[in-house]
Amino acid sequence: MTQGAVGGVAVRVRGLWKRFGQQAAVAGVDLELPAGRFIGLVGPNGAGKTTTLSMVTGLLRPDQGTVEVVGHDVWRDPVEVKARIGVLPEGLRLFDRLSGRELLAYTGRLRGLPGTEVDKRATQLLDVLDLAGAQHKLVVDYSTGMRKKIGLAAALLHNPEVLFLDEPFEGVDPVSAQTIRGVLERYTASGATVVFSSHVMELVESLCDWVAVMAAGRIRAHGTLSEVRGEAPSLQHAFLELVGANARDTGANLDWLGGGAR
Amino acid sequence: MSTATGEASVTPVVVRLKLSLLRNGLRQSAGRRAAYIASAVLVLLFAALQLIGLIALRGNTHAASVALPLVAVLALGWAVMPLFFPSGDETLDPTRLVMLPLRPRPLVRALLVASLVGIGPLFTLCMLVGSVVAVAHGTAAYAVSVLAVPLGLLVCVALARAVAAANIRLLTSRRGRDLAVLSGLVIAVGTQVLNFGMQRLGSAGLGQLDPAADVLGWVPPASAVGAVDAVSEGSYGVGAARLALSALALVGLLFLWSRSLTRLMTSPDGSTLQAAEPARDRTRTAGLGRFLPSGRTGTIMERSLRYVWRDPKTKAAWVTSLAIGLIFPVFNALQGTGSIYFACFASGMLGVLMYNQFGQDTSAFWMVAMTISSTRDAYVELRGRALALLVISLPYATFVTVVTTAMIGDWPALPEVLGLSFALLGAMLATGAWSSARFPYSIPQEGYKNVAPGQTGLAFLSIFGGMIAAALLCVPVIALTIWLNLTADGEDWTWLLLPLGTAYGVGITLLGLRLSAPRTAAKLPEILTAVSKG
């Protein structure tokens, strides 16, 4: 399998727009994500991260703009694109009346992989992700962390070149988070690209080598971690400055809060 | 918080909450307002008619025989309604109040008073007043009526609340939710039994109800009206006992309700309990895969068939379709009003399951969407789902047809009815696939609703339009059947309808799938958006 070489472009987005009624959720995003990197898409809630990722992965039709993944247009060439990407969306269900193993068997076979290969990979993924003990339990009975892990396994099963993860660490316990992290680091080390969204800066700072900062439907900054961080002491500070949230003063108005008196 | 003022103030707050919810619900759209007003007018008209009818019955020897079953049926309605329409009244759902520091007793009182607001209670009040007017004679009876009417109303309302509370607790556990499957059966069997009963009554007269009334006179809340009846006839002891029985029922229901409320608000919800459940059904359907074709088709079929058993919504739809598909022709045959052609009903009911295929996936449809990149993929996806449906519906439709034929005894007609049945099934699959691609809509997983708010018109259009279209598509086969039955020597050739109908069904299904596939492949994001609501 040819992995996107470092230095190439994994994802190229041009003039991407999406409006829901009057509200522009994504207002003209232009972005080139380098291949072979661990890329973080950061921004506050409602910045348009999920909408952008949905459009990039072909799950939501943009109003305007083009998206290319490893050189193929997502909307004109779905055969090439869908075989090369893995997706873990946020807020969408899985076929949760299947057991973990059944879900992987189903996904892999739908992807056109041979049955024995699917079962072999599923066994390994379940093992590595620490789900072997729960593999025959229905996904509907899984905890949030287990769901994210089985979703990740389903997204990795066909060995995609680019992996899109929407809030993969949201609501996940530290142990599961560490497991997910380990798998993702091994995956990018082989030259594959991971794009994930998050609003937890510390996490992005510790995981990613390339970041794009999004706010109010636009990209505010992008580049390597050190470029985006600039002079600021941490990504958190740089981020707050970028989205203009530093000046907000919460001091005087809530003077009654705390202290025990009612 | 247990101060007297705190407790006392809960009731008006909850009543106001209910009124606000009602008002806000109506404010959402003019259509909803119109529907509400129309249904209110209809219900009140119906109530008025019943009231006039009951008052006219006054003095009739069978008055009590009508009034008592009527109240009993009304109470049954109250018991069953919350199961089907829990979201019709948002104050019914105590889990929404779980974070408030409320004690069960004032909460029960407040919710009980709040549930007296609405058209349903007004209708019940009309019925109860009518019933006691029909049976009450004498001052003592009137005095008892003053007690009996509010008592009956309260029992009805408390019954609804108790059932709803017990049920919501059930619904929060996955196993319990799976029991929701019974609701379809209750409606299916209930309507048929009611139908059966009404026909009997129509032919045999009101006297038939006398033994039922004797029993129902002791069953709350009908026993409240029974008390009025007994007092009218001078049996004061019986009257007192019946009234006491209703009062006891009210106390019992309130106790049960309050207990399930308490448990509901203090125990962990289903999500926590489920995680502790041991792993199960490891190999229950494992053998299934061996009989299915390999590759994408088999994978899709296996998933669809697993969902028939495991997904409560899918299961409920299947059980309802299977039950009605059998009950309708068989009951009609039993009553002597049957026709062998009613056996086609099974095909029609099962074919409905092909509708809104992607809506049945809910937002998990994204997993399918990610693997469809060509018209061919979409075709295989739809064909797999149709095949999964056929695995059950084909033998079942055959079974129902054979049973109906056996009951009516018209064996020579079996081949033509089978042919007609298969043609209809094919047409339903074709229109089902087409409307799945064209009119997808969400099926909310919570509660008993099968359509997300705002998509009712879409669902209605898709299913009923599709059924009419399916019937029209069958016109060639139907016309051939009629023609063969009307022409002189046609009877000898009706067996031809079996191969012809089958071939027609297969052909039209394949055509339907072919026509639906391009639309499905082209509109994946739109379908995903449509099925992800609610």
Side-chain angles (χ1 to χ4, degrees), chain B residues 253-264:
Chain B
L253 283 170
L254 289 179
F255 172 73
L256 282 178
W257 176 23
S258 146
R259 211 179 56 165
S260 42
L261 264 184
T262 313
R263 201 180 302 170
L264 200 67

Side-chain angles (χ1 to χ4, degrees), chain B residues 285-445:
Chain B
T285 41
L288 194 69
R290 278 184 286 138
F291 302 105
L292 298 174
S294 61
R296 191 175 177 116
T297 306
T299 308
I300 294 161
M301 288 176 71
E302 197 173 1
R303 211 272 305 154
S304 298
L305 290 172
R306 280 193 169 122
Y307 259 55
V308 172
W309 182 250
R310 291 190 196 163
D311 184 56
K313 284 267 165 171
T314 315
K315 196 168 164 181
W318 270 96
V319 170
T320 310
S321 279
L322 290 174
I324 298 184
L326 180 66
I327 286 172
F328 183 75
V330 166
F331 263 49
N332 275 298
L334 271 179
Q335 283 172 276
T337 53
S339 154
I340 184 163
Y341 296 103
F342 282 170
C344 295
F345 205 71
S347 280
M349 285 309 298
L350 289 167
V352 169
L353 298 170
M354 187 68 195
Y355 284 78
N356 198 26
Q357 274 295 324
F358 305 129
Q360 295 178 28
D361 292 359
T362 68
S363 58
F365 176 72
W366 77 268
M367 300 193 82
V368 176
M370 282 313 294
T371 61
I372 292 179
S373 37
S374 65
T375 304
R376 173 77 198 162
D377 290 342
Y379 176 73
V380 175
E381 179 70 38
L382 283 165
R383 190 186 60 189
R385 289 165 187 252
L387 283 172
L389 217 141
L390 281 173
V391 166
I392 301 174
S393 59
L394 206 56
Y396 193 78
T398 312
F399 165 75
V400 170
T401 310
V402 170
V403 166
T404 311
T405 312
M407 291 180 74
I408 293 180
D410 190 7
W411 288 106
L414 181 62
E416 65 174 288
V417 180
L418 273 180
L420 212 54
S421 227
F422 295 157
L424 180 64
L425 189 57
M428 288 296 285
L429 291 183
T431 51
W434 193 80
S435 69
S436 291
R438 189 127 322 220
F439 307 113
Y441 58 90
S442 299
I443 302 177
Q445 288 304 292

Side-chain angles (χ1 to χ4, degrees), chain B residues 9-19 91 97 107 110-111 114:
Chain B
S9 61
V10 176
T11 307
V13 168
V14 175
V15 173
R16 268 201 302 274
L17 173 68
K18 168 129 185 192
L19 288 172
T91 57
L97 306 169
L107 184 61
L111 289 176

